[in-house]
Every structure is written in C-alpha cells, then in structure tokens.
Amino acid sequence: MNLDINKIREDFPILNQQINGHQLIYLDNAATTQKPQSVINKITEVYTQYNANVHRGVHYLSNKATAAMEEARKTIQQFINAESETEIVFTCGATESMNLVASSFGQKFLTEGSGVIVSEMEHHSNIVPWQLLENQNKTKVVKWAFDDRGELNLAELEELIAENTKLLAITYVSNTLGTINPIEQIIEIAHSHNVPVLVDASQAIQHFPIDVQQLDCDFLSFSGHKIYGPTGIGVLYGKKQWLDELPPYQGGGEMIETVSFNGTTFNQLPYKFEAGTPNYVGIIALGEAIRYVQNVGLQNIAQYENTLLQYATDKIKSISELRQIGTAERRASVLSFVVDGAHPFDIGTILDKMGIAVRTGTHCTEPIMQHFGIPGTIRASFAFYNKMEEIDALYDGLIRAVRMLK
Ligand code: PMP
C-alpha cells in the first residue's frame, strides 16, 4: 500500500509553517515526533469534558476518565501483544522506565559483584542508572562494544556473559547510529544463560511492529512522545512474573492496598508501580496516538521510512566532504554524519536558517562519540510524514553549508 503523504501531513498542523522564511522541514524525529490533530484534540477533550482524578472517585467524571485511561492501557497491551494489561506500567518516559527497573530489579537481584551488560551504543538513560548502582551496591557495568560500522558481534556477547551476569540492558535501535540490533537473537543468547533482558524500544516502537511475546523480552521501555503521543508519558512492559517479584519503585497513593504505621501492603499489578496521580491525560492521548499509528499501519510506516532512509543515505554519500557515522546493514530512520573540519553545530545552524531542523551534538550517547573520536554528529531522522523533496532540500542545504564552511 502506498501512503498518501500529503494527506497524512494535513493531520500534523505544526508542519504547515514557515521557519526563517522557508517551509519547515522537520528532520528531528528521533528527538521527538510531531502530534496529529487527533492527539491534540484528545487532550482538549479530556480537559473540557471529563477531567477528574482517576481510580479514586465514585462520580461520573472520575469513572469516565478512569475507563478512558484503562482503555488506553488495553490499546497499548494489544499494540505490543503483551499477555496481560497488568504488564503495562505507566511511567513518565523511557528514562523513568529504565530507572524503575534499575531501582527495583537492582534492589532485589543485584548484589556486590553482580554484572549488568549494556552495549556501547546505549543512550545515557540506559547506562547511567546502572552506573548509579555501581556506587550503591557495587554492581559492575560491563560494556559490549560495537564495531566501526556500528554493529554488535553476537559471539562477543557469549564471551561477556559470566556467572555473575544478572541482566542485559540493550537498545533495539540506536538513536545515533540507526543500527537495528538483532534483538531476537540477542535475547535468545541471553536466555540460554538465564540472563533476563531489558529492551530499550525508544527508537523502535514508532518504526516497525513489536511483539513482546514473540521477542520474549523480560522488560521493554519506550516514551510516548516518540510515537506521536504527548510528552511526560512512557511505558514499561514487564513480564508478569518479574513485576510480581520486584519491589515497588516509589511510595505514595495508588500503589498501596492498605497503609498503617504497623506496616503497608501493596496494590496489585500494575498499580504497585504507579504511585501518585498518574498522567491520565497523557495516557489517554497516548492511546489515541497509537490508534493513529495503527490506522496508518506499522508495516506501511516501516516500508516507507526505509525508502526515505535509503534515498537520504544515497544522496549524502554523493557529498564527498561528508562522512556517515553508523553504516550497519540494518538501520532505521536515522542518518548521522560529520563534515571533517566543520563543527556539527555550525552545519545545524546554517540548515536552521533554511528552515531545516536537524539535531547536532552527542545525542546523549557520548560513548559513541568517544568510539569514533568525534565531538558529535549531525543527525537527520525521518518520520512517515517526511517527503523525498525534503531530503532533496537537506541535500541542497548541506552542499551550501559545506561550501560556506570549507
Ligand atoms: N533511549 C533512546 C534510544 C532514546 O533515543 C531516548 C530519547 N532520545 C531515550 C532512551 C530516553 O527517552 P526519554 O528522554 O523520552 O525518556
């Protein structure tokens, strides 16, 4: 099926504007995606029609808000094919999801000398929470290095897994290199050594279908704002048997069953991990975003975005001054490059003057920059509302920027 991109773009009001006298070309989708009108409308709908705190109310508005929130949980459960809604925990983003696992899993299963393997291409949010545990309980963070294309070697994983390895925390898709890791094989290897796996799906969930039962991952995290939903809402999927075993993350309302000064008992899943008033407006709007994506169709999205990425990669290659960073065989929607002798920031600033939004810097992946010995990259990242003409404009803009700076 061919997507009607011009029609799709009408759903995203922000795209229709001039920046610095030029039509906006938004190529910063790995940082955050734009929102369709239906998601924006959903937020207004909640606040204008049934805003009330959830779960605790007996009145009409509270029941309606609660039902809408729980319906969103069901939408997300079905979207990633989790076995049960109780395996879907709402957090404020992927970062919090991973901190939750680090905190609760760390408390229960990580002791002095335990090892947590993370890859060299992780976002800081999947490195630093584990490093904090190094200080707390002397857990050891073990780096799984990638090669110069930005690919991980499965045989090296076999070698890294040791008796003390308690967890593998790994991104599905690199936000800087675009690498799609062979996550099914990685999980299989880890499981064959009884090592559970946390998958950071922040850059995967919006690009192709994910089935957590098929992957057999133990935990999976993502942020709503990267899949056309609002900011401030995220998801942690966890297999029920893990979530049952883990201690609560934060204390407060909703996560308890009873509280007394003689002791407190905790609520059932998933509420045990959802202390305080949840971001129910964000949750309801995230459900709407996922419905939108389902209507466009993730297979269609994957196919079209792949065409965009291929087209952009070929164009960039023809500019001899540019060097692509991340040349893995399987990549998704992210194109990073450097211009030797020019700072990424300067290129980004020149492109901005032409209305082209790209991201420059380390993208919260400093170990990747250290690997390549570079200060940062220029990163163009694509969504299904991007057009081939926009890539042509990026190409023209880059030629001009390189001429100005070299
Ligand atoms: N992991 C990856 C791979 C990411 O790209 C990001 C966001 N750039 C995160 C984690 C963190 O997401 P958030 O800031 O929304 O919590």
Side-chain angles (χ1 to χ4, degrees):
M1 181 187 131
N2 284 331
L3 296 178
D4 184 345
I5 304 303
N6 286 327
K7 180 122 191 32
I8 281 174
R9 288 175 71 87
E10 286 171 13
D11 295 336
F12 293 82
I14 201 170
L15 297 178
N16 184 21
Q17 64 172 304
Q18 303 267 309
I19 302 286
N20 293 326
H22 299 271
Q23 165 62 39
L24 165 65
I25 295 179
Y26 186 76
L27 301 177
D28 194 17
N29 295 287
T32 200
T33 52
Q34 300 303 347
K35 316 307 168 198
Q37 190 64 56
S38 60
V39 169
I40 300 166
N41 289 349
K42 189 54 85 175
I43 295 168
T44 308
E45 179 188 295
V46 182
Y47 281 129
T48 53
Q49 295 178 33
Y50 48 95
N51 178 52
N53 207 333
V54 289
H55 290 141
R56 285 170 278 246
V58 289
H59 61 82
Y60 177 87
L61 293 185
S62 177
N63 286 334
K64 184 153 178 174
T66 304
M69 170 174 156
E70 292 307 324
E71 192 189 309
R73 198 188 303 269
K74 182 127 201 88
T75 302
I76 292 157
Q77 175 225 330
Q78 289 167 351
F79 183 59
I80 60 171
N81 195 32
E83 201 175 324
S84 150
E85 287 136 86
T86 61
E87 297 178 316
I88 305 297
V89 175
F90 289 117
T91 62
C92 63
T95 298
E96 191 182 37
S97 299
M98 291 185 277
N99 274 278
L100 190 164
V101 179
S103 168
S104 293
F105 188 93
Q107 208 180 312
K108 177 98 189 210
F109 294 107
L110 301 179
T111 51
E112 187 166 344
S114 294
V116 174
I117 299 177
V118 302
S119 87
E120 191 184 14
M121 68 174 78
E122 295 312 306
H123 188 274
H124 295 162
S125 60
N126 199 22
I127 299 176
V128 183
W130 310 108
Q131 286 180 331
L132 292 175
L133 291 177
E134 287 190 301
N135 301 332
Q136 260 171 38
N137 59 13
K138 307 273 185 292
T139 290
K140 198 160 166 21
V141 178
V142 178
K143 177 180 91 175
W144 180 13
F146 58 77
D147 65 18
D148 285 347
R149 298 184 73 182
E151 287 180 342
L152 293 164
N153 180 327
L154 296 178
E156 279 175 30
L157 175 62
E158 291 271 13
E159 278 168 32
L160 282 178
I161 295 177
E163 199 137 311
N164 67 345
T165 305
K166 294 289 165 58
L167 187 76
L168 168 65
I170 173 105
T171 194
Y172 201 150
V173 174
S174 161
N175 62 311
T176 299
L177 305 170
T179 310
I180 304 177
N181 286 316
I183 206 75
E184 280 189 51
Q185 285 164 279
I186 290 172
I187 293 169
E188 231 176 88
I189 292 170
H191 282 178
S192 71
H193 296 272
N194 290 323
V195 173
V197 182
L198 160 66
V199 176
D200 176 5
S202 301
Q203 297 292 345
I205 193 83
Q206 64 281 50
H207 296 307
F208 47 78
I210 288 183
D211 179 329
V212 290
Q213 291 190 71
Q214 196 186 325
L215 290 184
D216 197 28
C217 54
D218 300 275
F219 302 98
L220 180 130
S221 58
F222 65 91
S223 288
H225 70 96
K226 300 213 196 246
I227 181 162
Y228 311 98
T231 52
I233 186 65
V235 170
L236 174 68
Y237 157 81
K239 276 185 186 162
K240 187 170 177 307
Q241 54 270 40
W242 283 116
L243 295 181
D244 270 335
E245 272 199 73
L246 298 190
Y249 169 54
Q250 293 183 323
E254 198 60 45
M255 52 75 72
I256 50 85
E257 186 184 50
T258 62
V259 177
S260 92
F261 283 102
N262 296 324
T264 289
T265 55
F266 304 120
N267 204 341
Q268 63 200 27
L269 290 178
Y271 309 111
K272 181 172 96 176
F273 293 104
E274 294 180 354
T277 299
N279 178 3
Y280 54 89
V281 181
I283 293 168
I284 295 166
L286 174 58
E288 186 61 35
I290 285 174
R291 272 191 292 279
Y292 182 90
V293 165
Q294 284 173 320
N295 278 339
V296 180
L298 266 173
Q299 295 287 6
N300 298 326
I301 291 174
Q303 208 179 357
Y304 176 67
E305 287 180 348
N306 201 34
T307 316
L308 280 176
L309 180 66
Q310 199 50 54
Y311 184 65
T313 306
D314 289 346
K315 285 224 112 170
I316 295 299
K317 268 199 194 124
S318 69
I319 309 176
S320 59
E321 291 87 347
L322 263 57
R323 184 158 56 97
Q324 194 184 329
I325 300 293
T327 49
E329 190 153 329
R330 292 184 65 225
R331 288 185 302 122
S333 267
V334 168
L335 183 56
S336 263
F337 49 89
V338 291
V339 179
D340 290 321
H343 199 281
F345 180 84
D346 295 332
I347 304 269
T349 307
I350 294 170
L351 291 174
D352 179 55
K353 295 275 176 284
M354 305 172 201
I356 303 171
V358 294
R359 190 147 292 249
T360 61
T362 65
H363 321 299
C364 294
T365 54
E366 286 185 30
I368 295 183
M369 304 307 143
Q370 288 152 15
H371 180 113
F372 288 102
I374 50 177
T377 74
I378 302 140
R379 181 185 72 184
S381 52
F382 312 108
F384 58 83
Y385 44 59
N386 287 125
K387 299 191 286 188
M388 299 294 172
E389 298 96 279
E390 293 182 307
I391 291 167
D392 293 337
L394 171 69
Y395 171 83
D396 294 342
L398 283 169
I399 299 263
R400 280 180 65 186
V402 168
R403 267 197 214 127
M404 281 167 80
L405 292 170
K406 300 267 303 185

